[in-house]
Amino acid sequence: MSEFCIPYRYETYFTTDVFAPANDVLWRALQGGGATMPARVFFVVEEELLQFYPDLPVAIAGYCRAHADAICLVAPPLLQAGGEPCKDIAVSLRLCEAFLAARLCRQSCVVIVGGGALLDAAGFAAAIFHRGLRQLRIPTTALSQCDSGVGVKNGVNYLGKKNLLGCFAPPLAVINDAAFLRTLPPAMVSAAAAEAVKVAMIKDREFFAWLVAQASAIMAGDLAALAMMVRRSAEIHQRHIATNGDPFEYGSARPLDFGHWSAHKLEMLSEQRLSHGVAVGMGMLIDCRYAVLMGILAKDVYTALRALLRSFALPFDGAVLELRDAAGRRLVMAGMEEFREHLGGQLHITLPTAIGAKIEVTTIDDERMNEAMDLVLRDK
Ligand SMILES: NC(=O)c1ccc[n+]([C@@H]2O[C@H](COP(=O)([O-])OP(=O)(O)OC[C@H]3O[C@@H](n4cnc5c(N)ncnc54)[C@H](O)[C@@H]3O)[C@@H](O)[C@H]2O)c1
Ligand SMILES: [Zn+2]
């Protein structure tokens, strides 16, 4: 027998004003990749960011000039429209063409500046070009800074299926720049809060208490508190991916998807009227109410969760939950089988047993789940 065993390592840095010439985080992170110096770097920047940061391309070019010993900017930053429509194989392939035109080689690094969708699409392009270039992520939404941007997944939507094409590609580094959080609309802060509450609920009691104490400040625009929420959430997400023994998701258990089996379905049933964050909040409440009914969670935890979600402006929107088929069965219940199919193998649903503690269950009592939904709708 011969063995193949290699470790992966990358850092998530937390900083402010990453492109200020005096900020050393980016060029130090690029040095960590083992590429010949100066690192050949290509930037993909989310075009919509220019509404808020019109000088971004100039700041990037200035930063690279100021650190010319460490960074060689091989082309002007490429501007690419972001958001969900950019998660398209055609966009990833166009980016590969731009990489070719810029003569990127296996010593090059693609730096992606944008939201989770652009990170997914451009990260995928970087991961397939020349069998994978180094990629450094600079997430600019609170959600991508505290969840999607710090992980190892890339992907685009295809044949009407979300993330059908993609790959696992650990980045060279992730840089979370708190300055980008200044321009986020409240709904995008709420969306990130839903994922922060999720990890707190299943992994970190202290963080949950901190969120309860800070929610109103965060929603009132306290940037330091928002940056702290993002940081704690990113750390917990990343620690989970690094230490749970399944970073490339071969198994069927996915604790970070707590509350998501119904959330994905609710988003779809609402025709995207419900945001991912609001749907995740609803999904967590439903599963917690079910856990209370099953006698594994104290009711006051459910009540505390409900109050916390409200303070992050994540309402419970009952109308979608009441959509039923001709036999009177709630449409959302189909989400359970879709979730199992997506993960493959046996059904695994994560249920909290206390704040900061969880179990995985492999069967769900449909009748009890329905009852839980009735109760969530009735609870005020
Ligand atoms: N790879 C993963 O592990 C993973 C995990 C979870 C989610 N995701 C993906 O992430 C995507 C969602 O990402 P998202 O929530 O970051 O949204 P997004 O990428 O769709 O961005 C939404 C919008 O935010 C705006 N924006 C970006 N930065 C901004 C800023 N600093 N200020 C103001 N506006 C800004 C942009 O106009 C953009 O169009 C989904 O496609 C989802 O599938 C990936
Ligand atoms: Zn989510």
Side-chain angles (χ1 to χ4, degrees):
M1 190 185 94
S2 72
E3 194 183 27
F4 178 87
C5 177
I6 48 168
Y8 288 97
R9 181 191 167 82
Y10 66 92
E11 312 265 352
T12 295
Y13 299 89
F14 298 89
T15 190
T16 304
D17 292 325
V18 63
F19 299 121
N23 191 321
D24 64 356
V25 170
L26 176 57
W27 69 261
R28 281 189 193 286
L30 286 166
Q31 275 187 332
T36 31
M37 284 288 130
R40 290 169 52 75
V41 177
F42 186 95
F43 281 80
V44 181
V45 175
E46 183 159 327
E47 200 166 24
E48 291 85 343
L49 283 172
L50 298 201
Q51 295 165 37
F52 307 101
Y53 309 96
D55 297 334
L56 193 53
V58 174
I60 290 171
Y63 185 88
C64 296
R65 264 196 314 279
H67 299 286
D69 50 337
I71 308 175
C72 166
L73 186 63
V74 297
L78 183 147
L79 301 178
Q80 168 63 51
E84 203 61 26
C86 83
K87 288 183 55 161
D88 183 324
I89 187 73
V91 170
S92 297
L93 293 177
R94 268 205 313 275
L95 289 173
C96 287
E97 286 163 23
F99 299 163
L100 185 66
R103 296 170 179 266
L104 297 195
C105 65
R106 296 205 38 79
Q107 297 304 312
S108 310
C109 179
V110 177
V111 178
I112 310 159
V113 187
L118 183 70
L119 292 168
D120 270 0
F124 183 48
I128 57 175
F129 188 77
H130 278 315
R131 297 199 173 102
L133 304 182
R134 293 166 179 81
Q135 58 172 284
L136 191 150
R137 301 192 193 144
I138 304 185
T140 60
T141 63
L143 183 85
S144 57
Q145 289 194 7
C146 77
D147 179 340
S148 57
V150 303
V152 294
K153 294 190 270 185
N154 300 286
V156 294
N157 307 327
Y158 192 54
L159 301 178
K161 299 223 180 289
K162 204 163 151 81
N163 301 325
L164 185 66
L165 302 179
C167 62
F168 292 90
L172 170 61
V174 180
I175 301 177
N176 277 350
D177 181 346
F180 283 117
L181 303 176
R182 273 185 290 131
T183 48
L184 293 173
M188 292 185 81
V189 174
S190 298
E195 303 289 358
V197 170
K198 174 198 75 183
V199 286
M201 190 70 197
I202 55 171
K203 285 189 170 280
D204 195 323
R205 189 183 175 81
E206 258 177 54
F207 185 38
F208 190 95
W210 184 89
L211 288 168
V212 170
Q214 297 295 324
S216 52
I218 291 169
M219 291 313 288
D222 182 334
L223 273 179
L226 175 59
M228 186 53 75
M229 177 185 88
V230 163
R231 182 172 187 144
R232 275 304 290 140
S233 176
E235 286 168 347
I236 299 170
H237 272 92
Q238 196 168 7
R239 193 178 60 220
H240 174 86
I241 295 164
T243 62
N244 83 331
D246 191 19
F248 303 129
E249 298 179 356
Y250 289 115
S252 312
R254 200 86 71 75
L256 293 183
D257 278 350
F258 162 50
H260 279 58
W261 74 265
S262 56
H264 288 148
K265 192 71 186 169
L266 291 168
E267 273 178 273
M268 229 189 68
L269 289 172
S270 76
E271 292 168 350
Q272 315 305 323
R273 185 177 56 78
L274 291 182
S275 72
H276 182 66
V278 168
V280 169
M282 292 173 66
M284 290 192 285
L285 271 179
I286 291 166
D287 285 355
C288 281
R289 194 68 186 85
Y290 175 81
V292 174
L293 273 182
M294 299 306 280
I296 59 172
L297 183 71
K299 180 149 186 232
D300 58 352
V301 174
Y302 160 81
T303 312
L305 173 67
R306 186 165 193 130
L308 181 55
L309 293 172
R310 277 206 187 123
S311 53
F312 277 120
L314 293 162
F316 196 91
D317 185 328
V320 188
L321 207 57
E322 285 301 27
L323 296 173
R324 293 171 190 266
D325 65 15
R329 190 178 135 92
R330 282 197 164 97
L331 296 183
V332 67
M333 292 299 284
M336 189 121 40
E337 178 54 19
E338 288 169 19
F339 189 69
R340 191 198 61 73
E341 275 173 20
H342 172 68
L343 298 182
Q346 206 176 17
L347 179 70
H348 276 80
I349 301 281
T350 301
L351 293 178
T353 51
I355 297 174
K358 57 162 176 60
I359 52 165
E360 296 285 326
V361 298
T362 52
T363 52
I364 290 285
D365 181 329
D366 276 14
E367 225 170 279
R368 279 295 172 99
M369 184 55 86
N370 249 305
E371 201 182 328
M373 290 178 189
D374 289 340
L375 289 169
V376 180
L377 283 169
R378 213 176 304 148
D379 290 337
K380 287 284 171 257

